[in-house]
Amino acid sequence: MTKRRVFISQSFAIFSLLGLSLISCSSAGNRSQSQQEAKTMKLASSAFTNNGLIPAQYTCDGANISPPLNWDEVPPGTQSLVLIVDDPDAPEQTFVHWVVYDIPPTIRQLAEKNPADKTLTNGAVQGANDFGSFGYGGPCPPSGTHRYFFQIYALDKKLSLAAGASKSQIITAMADHILAKAELIGRYKRL
């Protein structure tokens, strides 16, 4: 009788632990799924579609002004946003066209023709591009069609870097603080 009670008691303990493990795995799976859902942001432009051609007015062949950009589905807990625009098809290394950081989390767009000021009116800060200036520098590929990656990151902190920070400084400061990312690719070939 005693052995039977011990066996039943041990069996109950094993089934209880197994049940807790299954619940824990299910909860972890739900957390992972909801984190992935939260990591889905969208970035778009009214000037061009994803993988579409960037109109000349936003390039060195035109007015060389920044295109309008908008984003949504910024995850909860976002403290700032970062925008990086670069060209991985440049001849020697990825060429940086625009970096903007410490964009307030309530902002959902950057209008067309942003000024080359160190700080934008919405409080965002501009970094240095590879043209050696602040603000946007449009596509100007030496040959062929290049891809321009517009990437926005939601961060769980404000970077608080001085104006003019480089892309590499921003990437280093963002490490382990990215909540979500969205990407828009535009293409351009010189006229």
Side-chain angles (χ1 to χ4, degrees), residues 2-172:
T2 309
K3 287 183 181 179
R4 189 171 190 200
R5 281 189 193 149
V6 169
F7 176 77
I8 291 170
S9 177
Q10 288 174 340
S11 298
F12 180 76
I14 290 170
F15 285 117
S16 295
L17 287 173
L18 181 59
L20 286 174
S21 295
L22 290 173
I23 290 169
S24 175
C25 288
S26 174
S27 297
N30 289 342
R31 260 195 318 272
S32 176
Q33 183 179 5
S34 65
Q35 283 174 346
Q36 284 186 343
E37 287 169 6
K39 290 184 179 184
T40 304
M41 281 177 39
K42 294 181 179 148
L43 176 61
S45 176
S46 57
F48 61 95
T49 59
N50 191 39
N51 286 311
L53 294 175
I54 298 172
Q57 72 189 60
Y58 304 110
T59 74
C60 68
D61 292 319
N64 206 21
I65 58 173
S66 62
L69 298 170
N70 60 74
W71 53 89
D72 60 15
E73 299 185 32
V74 175
T78 299
Q79 297 299 308
S80 73
L81 298 155
V82 170
L83 174 72
I84 297 173
V85 181
D86 57 24
D87 170 10
D89 300 322
E92 294 183 24
Q93 64 183 18
T94 298
F95 193 90
V96 179
H97 286 264
W98 196 16
V99 278
V100 186
Y101 46 97
D102 289 345
I103 302 169
T106 54
I107 301 296
R108 294 292 180 269
Q109 66 180 1
L110 287 175
E112 180 181 78
K113 198 177 179 180
N114 271 278
D117 300 335
K118 291 180 180 181
T119 304
L120 300 177
T121 56
N122 62 19
V125 180
Q126 298 200 89
N129 60 39
D130 283 345
F131 293 108
S133 60
F134 286 95
Y136 177 81
C140 198
S143 64
T145 302
H146 285 217
R147 297 166 300 152
Y148 298 87
F149 287 71
F150 292 73
Q151 300 172 323
I152 191 147
Y153 299 86
L155 307 181
D156 66 4
K157 74 171 194 171
K158 191 173 176 181
L159 297 182
S160 300
L161 296 170
S166 68
K167 174 187 166 184
S168 61
Q169 290 172 316
I170 294 163
I171 295 291
T172 299

